[in-house]
Amino acid sequence: MECTSRNFPEELLYDTHYQWIKRTGSKILFGLTSYGLEITGDVLYLSLPPAGTVVEGGGTCGSLEAGKWVGRIYAPASGRITNVNQAVLASPALIGRLPYHSWFAEIELSRPEELNGLMSAAGLRSWLVEAEKANVCCG
């Protein structure tokens, strides 16, 4: 798998958990990148906390089971979950078909400065190149 040839939407931010983040005012939406899907395989099950739950940036806020992987979903920033995408909970396969439209949850930010630690699309591509060199990603 070639890490550097991936196209990532330029208007989004990214974290090291292969998640995309879209800021809309004082809130963010987040989901799994197409590259994350290549690593995990088809998403079979998704568990997310209900609206009203307070999450810490970098902390666990759900779980995902896929064809190749079972693991945690991490909050990209601190805040309160204001909405959970019921469509992807009911049909996790949507994530594989439309990864950049199939968000997990919406978070109202309590510490917007945490977004400064996220990567741009160019930053993500550079990070993936370094991870490939270290054999952290890319089979």
Side-chain angles (χ1 to χ4, degrees), residues 103-132:
W103 50 277
F104 296 153
E106 177 184 68
I107 299 173
E108 184 166 1
L109 299 170
S110 61
R111 294 193 291 264
E113 66 276 6
E114 290 177 340
L115 298 182
N116 296 334
L118 299 175
M119 296 177 276
S120 65
L124 177 62
R125 284 188 288 274
S126 294
W127 179 77
L128 288 172
V129 167
E130 293 304 313
E132 183 180 38

PDB file of all heavy atoms in Angstrom, residues 103-132:
ATOM      1  N   TRP A 103     -19.922  10.693   9.340  1.00  0.00           N
ATOM      2  CA  TRP A 103     -19.317  11.124  10.595  1.00  0.00           C
ATOM      3  C   TRP A 103     -19.834  10.270  11.747  1.00  0.00           C
ATOM      4  O   TRP A 103     -20.903   9.693  11.689  1.00  0.00           O
ATOM      5  CB  TRP A 103     -19.581  12.610  10.831  1.00  0.00           C
ATOM      6  CG  TRP A 103     -21.022  13.013  10.678  1.00  0.00           C
ATOM      7  CD1 TRP A 103     -21.677  13.313   9.510  1.00  0.00           C
ATOM      8  CD2 TRP A 103     -21.996  13.138  11.716  1.00  0.00           C
ATOM      9  NE1 TRP A 103     -22.985  13.621   9.760  1.00  0.00           N
ATOM     10  CE2 TRP A 103     -23.216  13.519  11.105  1.00  0.00           C
ATOM     11  CE3 TRP A 103     -21.966  12.959  13.094  1.00  0.00           C
ATOM     12  CZ2 TRP A 103     -24.383  13.739  11.834  1.00  0.00           C
ATOM     13  CZ3 TRP A 103     -23.128  13.173  13.824  1.00  0.00           C
ATOM     14  CH2 TRP A 103     -24.315  13.565  13.192  1.00  0.00           C
ATOM     15  N   PHE A 104     -18.998  10.193  12.798  1.00  0.00           N
ATOM     16  CA  PHE A 104     -19.364   9.438  13.992  1.00  0.00           C
ATOM     17  C   PHE A 104     -20.234  10.280  14.926  1.00  0.00           C
ATOM     18  O   PHE A 104     -21.315   9.880  15.317  1.00  0.00           O
ATOM     19  CB  PHE A 104     -18.132   9.010  14.785  1.00  0.00           C
ATOM     20  CG  PHE A 104     -17.217   8.057  14.068  1.00  0.00           C
ATOM     21  CD1 PHE A 104     -15.874   8.025  14.377  1.00  0.00           C
ATOM     22  CD2 PHE A 104     -17.676   7.172  13.104  1.00  0.00           C
ATOM     23  CE1 PHE A 104     -15.009   7.144  13.755  1.00  0.00           C
ATOM     24  CE2 PHE A 104     -16.827   6.286  12.470  1.00  0.00           C
ATOM     25  CZ  PHE A 104     -15.483   6.274  12.803  1.00  0.00           C
ATOM     26  N   ALA A 105     -19.704  11.431  15.310  1.00  0.00           N
ATOM     27  CA  ALA A 105     -20.384  12.267  16.299  1.00  0.00           C
ATOM     28  C   ALA A 105     -20.008  13.726  16.089  1.00  0.00           C
ATOM     29  O   ALA A 105     -19.030  14.041  15.413  1.00  0.00           O
ATOM     30  CB  ALA A 105     -20.008  11.833  17.716  1.00  0.00           C
ATOM     31  N   GLU A 106     -20.798  14.589  16.698  1.00  0.00           N
ATOM     32  CA  GLU A 106     -20.541  16.025  16.714  1.00  0.00           C
ATOM     33  C   GLU A 106     -20.163  16.387  18.144  1.00  0.00           C
ATOM     34  O   GLU A 106     -20.825  15.957  19.090  1.00  0.00           O
ATOM     35  CB  GLU A 106     -21.802  16.767  16.296  1.00  0.00           C
ATOM     36  CG  GLU A 106     -21.670  18.283  16.338  1.00  0.00           C
ATOM     37  CD  GLU A 106     -22.993  18.935  15.996  1.00  0.00           C
ATOM     38  OE1 GLU A 106     -23.941  18.805  16.813  1.00  0.00           O
ATOM     39  OE2 GLU A 106     -23.072  19.558  14.936  1.00  0.00           O
ATOM     40  N   ILE A 107     -19.105  17.166  18.277  1.00  0.00           N
ATOM     41  CA  ILE A 107     -18.626  17.590  19.599  1.00  0.00           C
ATOM     42  C   ILE A 107     -18.625  19.109  19.673  1.00  0.00           C
ATOM     43  O   ILE A 107     -18.060  19.766  18.786  1.00  0.00           O
ATOM     44  CB  ILE A 107     -17.199  17.064  19.879  1.00  0.00           C
ATOM     45  CG1 ILE A 107     -17.176  15.532  19.861  1.00  0.00           C
ATOM     46  CG2 ILE A 107     -16.664  17.609  21.205  1.00  0.00           C
ATOM     47  CD1 ILE A 107     -15.781  14.935  19.964  1.00  0.00           C
ATOM     48  N   GLU A 108     -19.249  19.655  20.716  1.00  0.00           N
ATOM     49  CA  GLU A 108     -19.134  21.082  21.002  1.00  0.00           C
ATOM     50  C   GLU A 108     -17.849  21.260  21.788  1.00  0.00           C
ATOM     51  O   GLU A 108     -17.678  20.696  22.872  1.00  0.00           O
ATOM     52  CB  GLU A 108     -20.326  21.587  21.806  1.00  0.00           C
ATOM     53  CG  GLU A 108     -20.255  23.077  22.026  1.00  0.00           C
ATOM     54  CD  GLU A 108     -21.568  23.656  22.510  1.00  0.00           C
ATOM     55  OE1 GLU A 108     -22.540  22.908  22.692  1.00  0.00           O
ATOM     56  OE2 GLU A 108     -21.608  24.870  22.691  1.00  0.00           O
ATOM     57  N   LEU A 109     -16.943  22.040  21.229  1.00  0.00           N
ATOM     58  CA  LEU A 109     -15.593  22.160  21.781  1.00  0.00           C
ATOM     59  C   LEU A 109     -15.565  22.913  23.110  1.00  0.00           C
ATOM     60  O   LEU A 109     -16.160  23.975  23.235  1.00  0.00           O
ATOM     61  CB  LEU A 109     -14.687  22.878  20.784  1.00  0.00           C
ATOM     62  CG  LEU A 109     -14.509  22.186  19.432  1.00  0.00           C
ATOM     63  CD1 LEU A 109     -13.806  23.113  18.450  1.00  0.00           C
ATOM     64  CD2 LEU A 109     -13.746  20.886  19.601  1.00  0.00           C
ATOM     65  N   SER A 110     -14.839  22.361  24.069  1.00  0.00           N
ATOM     66  CA  SER A 110     -14.589  23.077  25.318  1.00  0.00           C
ATOM     67  C   SER A 110     -13.187  23.680  25.318  1.00  0.00           C
ATOM     68  O   SER A 110     -12.931  24.639  26.033  1.00  0.00           O
ATOM     69  CB  SER A 110     -14.764  22.147  26.524  1.00  0.00           C
ATOM     70  OG  SER A 110     -13.857  21.062  26.466  1.00  0.00           O
ATOM     71  N   ARG A 111     -12.284  23.114  24.504  1.00  0.00           N
ATOM     72  CA  ARG A 111     -10.926  23.636  24.379  1.00  0.00           C
ATOM     73  C   ARG A 111     -10.545  23.673  22.895  1.00  0.00           C
ATOM     74  O   ARG A 111      -9.812  22.821  22.401  1.00  0.00           O
ATOM     75  CB  ARG A 111      -9.958  22.759  25.176  1.00  0.00           C
ATOM     76  CG  ARG A 111     -10.206  22.822  26.682  1.00  0.00           C
ATOM     77  CD  ARG A 111      -9.068  22.215  27.491  1.00  0.00           C
ATOM     78  NE  ARG A 111      -8.945  20.776  27.365  1.00  0.00           N
ATOM     79  CZ  ARG A 111      -9.462  19.901  28.222  1.00  0.00           C
ATOM     80  NH1 ARG A 111     -10.149  20.301  29.255  1.00  0.00           N
ATOM     81  NH2 ARG A 111      -9.277  18.615  28.027  1.00  0.00           N
ATOM     82  N   PRO A 112     -11.054  24.683  22.163  1.00  0.00           N
ATOM     83  CA  PRO A 112     -10.809  24.738  20.718  1.00  0.00           C
ATOM     84  C   PRO A 112      -9.326  24.766  20.352  1.00  0.00           C
ATOM     85  O   PRO A 112      -8.957  24.347  19.244  1.00  0.00           O
ATOM     86  CB  PRO A 112     -11.507  26.017  20.265  1.00  0.00           C
ATOM     87  CG  PRO A 112     -12.117  26.632  21.458  1.00  0.00           C
ATOM     88  CD  PRO A 112     -11.862  25.779  22.645  1.00  0.00           C
ATOM     89  N   GLU A 113      -8.480  25.209  21.269  1.00  0.00           N
ATOM     90  CA  GLU A 113      -7.038  25.262  20.982  1.00  0.00           C
ATOM     91  C   GLU A 113      -6.455  23.869  20.725  1.00  0.00           C
ATOM     92  O   GLU A 113      -5.394  23.742  20.109  1.00  0.00           O
ATOM     93  CB  GLU A 113      -6.282  25.974  22.112  1.00  0.00           C
ATOM     94  CG  GLU A 113      -6.275  25.260  23.451  1.00  0.00           C
ATOM     95  CD  GLU A 113      -7.504  25.512  24.327  1.00  0.00           C
ATOM     96  OE1 GLU A 113      -8.478  26.167  23.879  1.00  0.00           O
ATOM     97  OE2 GLU A 113      -7.492  25.040  25.468  1.00  0.00           O
ATOM     98  N   GLU A 114      -7.144  22.818  21.155  1.00  0.00           N
ATOM     99  CA  GLU A 114      -6.659  21.467  20.895  1.00  0.00           C
ATOM    100  C   GLU A 114      -6.617  21.157  19.397  1.00  0.00           C
ATOM    101  O   GLU A 114      -5.849  20.303  18.963  1.00  0.00           O
ATOM    102  CB  GLU A 114      -7.535  20.432  21.602  1.00  0.00           C
ATOM    103  CG  GLU A 114      -7.379  20.447  23.096  1.00  0.00           C
ATOM    104  CD  GLU A 114      -8.315  19.469  23.799  1.00  0.00           C
ATOM    105  OE1 GLU A 114      -9.338  19.058  23.205  1.00  0.00           O
ATOM    106  OE2 GLU A 114      -8.025  19.126  24.952  1.00  0.00           O
ATOM    107  N   LEU A 115      -7.420  21.847  18.615  1.00  0.00           N
ATOM    108  CA  LEU A 115      -7.407  21.625  17.166  1.00  0.00           C
ATOM    109  C   LEU A 115      -6.073  22.020  16.544  1.00  0.00           C
ATOM    110  O   LEU A 115      -5.725  21.536  15.468  1.00  0.00           O
ATOM    111  CB  LEU A 115      -8.553  22.384  16.495  1.00  0.00           C
ATOM    112  CG  LEU A 115      -9.967  21.981  16.910  1.00  0.00           C
ATOM    113  CD1 LEU A 115     -10.995  22.786  16.123  1.00  0.00           C
ATOM    114  CD2 LEU A 115     -10.208  20.491  16.741  1.00  0.00           C
ATOM    115  N   ASN A 116      -5.314  22.876  17.226  1.00  0.00           N
ATOM    116  CA  ASN A 116      -4.006  23.287  16.719  1.00  0.00           C
ATOM    117  C   ASN A 116      -3.038  22.108  16.615  1.00  0.00           C
ATOM    118  O   ASN A 116      -2.079  22.156  15.865  1.00  0.00           O
ATOM    119  CB  ASN A 116      -3.395  24.381  17.594  1.00  0.00           C
ATOM    120  CG  ASN A 116      -4.203  25.652  17.568  1.00  0.00           C
ATOM    121  OD1 ASN A 116      -4.920  25.930  16.600  1.00  0.00           O
ATOM    122  ND2 ASN A 116      -4.143  26.422  18.637  1.00  0.00           N
ATOM    123  N   GLY A 117      -3.286  21.040  17.368  1.00  0.00           N
ATOM    124  CA  GLY A 117      -2.424  19.867  17.335  1.00  0.00           C
ATOM    125  C   GLY A 117      -2.776  18.875  16.237  1.00  0.00           C
ATOM    126  O   GLY A 117      -2.103  17.863  16.079  1.00  0.00           O
ATOM    127  N   LEU A 118      -3.826  19.152  15.480  1.00  0.00           N
ATOM    128  CA  LEU A 118      -4.226  18.262  14.397  1.00  0.00           C
ATOM    129  C   LEU A 118      -3.467  18.589  13.120  1.00  0.00           C
ATOM    130  O   LEU A 118      -2.850  19.646  13.006  1.00  0.00           O
ATOM    131  CB  LEU A 118      -5.737  18.365  14.176  1.00  0.00           C
ATOM    132  CG  LEU A 118      -6.587  17.974  15.385  1.00  0.00           C
ATOM    133  CD1 LEU A 118      -8.067  18.231  15.101  1.00  0.00           C
ATOM    134  CD2 LEU A 118      -6.361  16.522  15.768  1.00  0.00           C
ATOM    135  N   MET A 119      -3.523  17.695  12.155  1.00  0.00           N
ATOM    136  CA  MET A 119      -2.767  17.847  10.914  1.00  0.00           C
ATOM    137  C   MET A 119      -3.650  18.297   9.761  1.00  0.00           C
ATOM    138  O   MET A 119      -4.832  17.953   9.701  1.00  0.00           O
ATOM    139  CB  MET A 119      -2.144  16.497  10.518  1.00  0.00           C
ATOM    140  CG  MET A 119      -1.129  15.968  11.494  1.00  0.00           C
ATOM    141  SD  MET A 119      -0.500  14.329  10.994  1.00  0.00           S
ATOM    142  CE  MET A 119      -1.786  13.261  11.668  1.00  0.00           C
ATOM    143  N   SER A 120      -3.049  19.043   8.849  1.00  0.00           N
ATOM    144  CA  SER A 120      -3.683  19.350   7.565  1.00  0.00           C
ATOM    145  C   SER A 120      -3.543  18.111   6.680  1.00  0.00           C
ATOM    146  O   SER A 120      -2.860  17.141   7.048  1.00  0.00           O
ATOM    147  CB  SER A 120      -2.956  20.525   6.909  1.00  0.00           C
ATOM    148  OG  SER A 120      -1.623  20.136   6.584  1.00  0.00           O
ATOM    149  N   ALA A 121      -4.135  18.141   5.501  1.00  0.00           N
ATOM    150  CA  ALA A 121      -3.985  17.022   4.565  1.00  0.00           C
ATOM    151  C   ALA A 121      -2.506  16.818   4.209  1.00  0.00           C
ATOM    152  O   ALA A 121      -2.023  15.684   4.175  1.00  0.00           O
ATOM    153  CB  ALA A 121      -4.824  17.258   3.317  1.00  0.00           C
ATOM    154  N   ALA A 122      -1.772  17.911   3.983  1.00  0.00           N
ATOM    155  CA  ALA A 122      -0.341  17.802   3.672  1.00  0.00           C
ATOM    156  C   ALA A 122       0.421  17.232   4.866  1.00  0.00           C
ATOM    157  O   ALA A 122       1.317  16.397   4.704  1.00  0.00           O
ATOM    158  CB  ALA A 122       0.221  19.171   3.283  1.00  0.00           C
ATOM    159  N   GLY A 123       0.061  17.667   6.060  1.00  0.00           N
ATOM    160  CA  GLY A 123       0.694  17.145   7.268  1.00  0.00           C
ATOM    161  C   GLY A 123       0.435  15.658   7.439  1.00  0.00           C
ATOM    162  O   GLY A 123       1.324  14.896   7.840  1.00  0.00           O
ATOM    163  N   LEU A 124      -0.778  15.227   7.131  1.00  0.00           N
ATOM    164  CA  LEU A 124      -1.108  13.810   7.224  1.00  0.00           C
ATOM    165  C   LEU A 124      -0.289  12.996   6.235  1.00  0.00           C
ATOM    166  O   LEU A 124       0.259  11.946   6.581  1.00  0.00           O
ATOM    167  CB  LEU A 124      -2.603  13.588   6.984  1.00  0.00           C
ATOM    168  CG  LEU A 124      -3.068  12.127   6.991  1.00  0.00           C
ATOM    169  CD1 LEU A 124      -2.813  11.463   8.339  1.00  0.00           C
ATOM    170  CD2 LEU A 124      -4.533  12.034   6.615  1.00  0.00           C
ATOM    171  N   ARG A 125      -0.181  13.483   5.013  1.00  0.00           N
ATOM    172  CA  ARG A 125       0.622  12.756   4.020  1.00  0.00           C
ATOM    173  C   ARG A 125       2.072  12.627   4.487  1.00  0.00           C
ATOM    174  O   ARG A 125       2.671  11.556   4.376  1.00  0.00           O
ATOM    175  CB  ARG A 125       0.533  13.435   2.655  1.00  0.00           C
ATOM    176  CG  ARG A 125      -0.797  13.171   1.944  1.00  0.00           C
ATOM    177  CD  ARG A 125      -0.809  13.675   0.508  1.00  0.00           C
ATOM    178  NE  ARG A 125      -0.852  15.128   0.425  1.00  0.00           N
ATOM    179  CZ  ARG A 125      -1.971  15.848   0.459  1.00  0.00           C
ATOM    180  NH1 ARG A 125      -3.146  15.262   0.553  1.00  0.00           N
ATOM    181  NH2 ARG A 125      -1.925  17.159   0.385  1.00  0.00           N
ATOM    182  N   SER A 126       2.633  13.701   5.046  1.00  0.00           N
ATOM    183  CA  SER A 126       4.010  13.650   5.559  1.00  0.00           C
ATOM    184  C   SER A 126       4.130  12.671   6.717  1.00  0.00           C
ATOM    185  O   SER A 126       5.096  11.906   6.804  1.00  0.00           O
ATOM    186  CB  SER A 126       4.459  15.037   6.023  1.00  0.00           C
ATOM    187  OG  SER A 126       4.544  15.920   4.941  1.00  0.00           O
ATOM    188  N   TRP A 127       3.147  12.703   7.612  1.00  0.00           N
ATOM    189  CA  TRP A 127       3.150  11.792   8.762  1.00  0.00           C
ATOM    190  C   TRP A 127       3.091  10.341   8.287  1.00  0.00           C
ATOM    191  O   TRP A 127       3.788   9.478   8.820  1.00  0.00           O
ATOM    192  CB  TRP A 127       1.976  12.123   9.682  1.00  0.00           C
ATOM    193  CG  TRP A 127       1.892  11.232  10.875  1.00  0.00           C
ATOM    194  CD1 TRP A 127       2.658  11.296  12.008  1.00  0.00           C
ATOM    195  CD2 TRP A 127       1.006  10.115  11.053  1.00  0.00           C
ATOM    196  NE1 TRP A 127       2.292  10.288  12.875  1.00  0.00           N
ATOM    197  CE2 TRP A 127       1.285   9.555  12.316  1.00  0.00           C
ATOM    198  CE3 TRP A 127       0.010   9.554  10.262  1.00  0.00           C
ATOM    199  CZ2 TRP A 127       0.598   8.452  12.806  1.00  0.00           C
ATOM    200  CZ3 TRP A 127      -0.688   8.449  10.749  1.00  0.00           C
ATOM    201  CH2 TRP A 127      -0.379   7.919  12.003  1.00  0.00           C
ATOM    202  N   LEU A 128       2.265  10.068   7.263  1.00  0.00           N
ATOM    203  CA  LEU A 128       2.166   8.708   6.738  1.00  0.00           C
ATOM    204  C   LEU A 128       3.471   8.248   6.099  1.00  0.00           C
ATOM    205  O   LEU A 128       3.840   7.082   6.219  1.00  0.00           O
ATOM    206  CB  LEU A 128       1.017   8.606   5.731  1.00  0.00           C
ATOM    207  CG  LEU A 128      -0.381   8.666   6.330  1.00  0.00           C
ATOM    208  CD1 LEU A 128      -1.429   8.752   5.222  1.00  0.00           C
ATOM    209  CD2 LEU A 128      -0.654   7.483   7.233  1.00  0.00           C
ATOM    210  N   VAL A 129       4.192   9.153   5.433  1.00  0.00           N
ATOM    211  CA  VAL A 129       5.495   8.810   4.852  1.00  0.00           C
ATOM    212  C   VAL A 129       6.448   8.380   5.964  1.00  0.00           C
ATOM    213  O   VAL A 129       7.136   7.360   5.852  1.00  0.00           O
ATOM    214  CB  VAL A 129       6.073   9.986   4.038  1.00  0.00           C
ATOM    215  CG1 VAL A 129       7.543   9.762   3.715  1.00  0.00           C
ATOM    216  CG2 VAL A 129       5.277  10.199   2.766  1.00  0.00           C
ATOM    217  N   GLU A 130       6.481   9.151   7.052  1.00  0.00           N
ATOM    218  CA  GLU A 130       7.351   8.812   8.181  1.00  0.00           C
ATOM    219  C   GLU A 130       6.912   7.504   8.833  1.00  0.00           C
ATOM    220  O   GLU A 130       7.755   6.677   9.213  1.00  0.00           O
ATOM    221  CB  GLU A 130       7.373   9.941   9.213  1.00  0.00           C
ATOM    222  CG  GLU A 130       8.033  11.215   8.701  1.00  0.00           C
ATOM    223  CD  GLU A 130       9.456  10.983   8.194  1.00  0.00           C
ATOM    224  OE1 GLU A 130      10.250  10.317   8.898  1.00  0.00           O
ATOM    225  OE2 GLU A 130       9.775  11.468   7.077  1.00  0.00           O
ATOM    226  N   ALA A 131       5.609   7.299   8.963  1.00  0.00           N
ATOM    227  CA  ALA A 131       5.116   6.054   9.541  1.00  0.00           C
ATOM    228  C   ALA A 131       5.467   4.863   8.662  1.00  0.00           C
ATOM    229  O   ALA A 131       5.807   3.794   9.159  1.00  0.00           O
ATOM    230  CB  ALA A 131       3.596   6.153   9.752  1.00  0.00           C
ATOM    231  N   GLU A 132       5.407   5.070   7.359  1.00  0.00           N
ATOM    232  CA  GLU A 132       5.779   3.999   6.421  1.00  0.00           C
ATOM    233  C   GLU A 132       7.249   3.639   6.591  1.00  0.00           C
ATOM    234  O   GLU A 132       7.598   2.470   6.629  1.00  0.00           O
ATOM    235  CB  GLU A 132       5.487   4.429   4.988  1.00  0.00           C
ATOM    236  CG  GLU A 132       5.769   3.346   3.974  1.00  0.00           C
ATOM    237  CD  GLU A 132       5.472   3.800   2.558  1.00  0.00           C
ATOM    238  OE1 GLU A 132       5.742   4.976   2.216  1.00  0.00           O
ATOM    239  OE2 GLU A 132       4.961   2.980   1.789  1.00  0.00           O
TER     240      GLU A 132
END
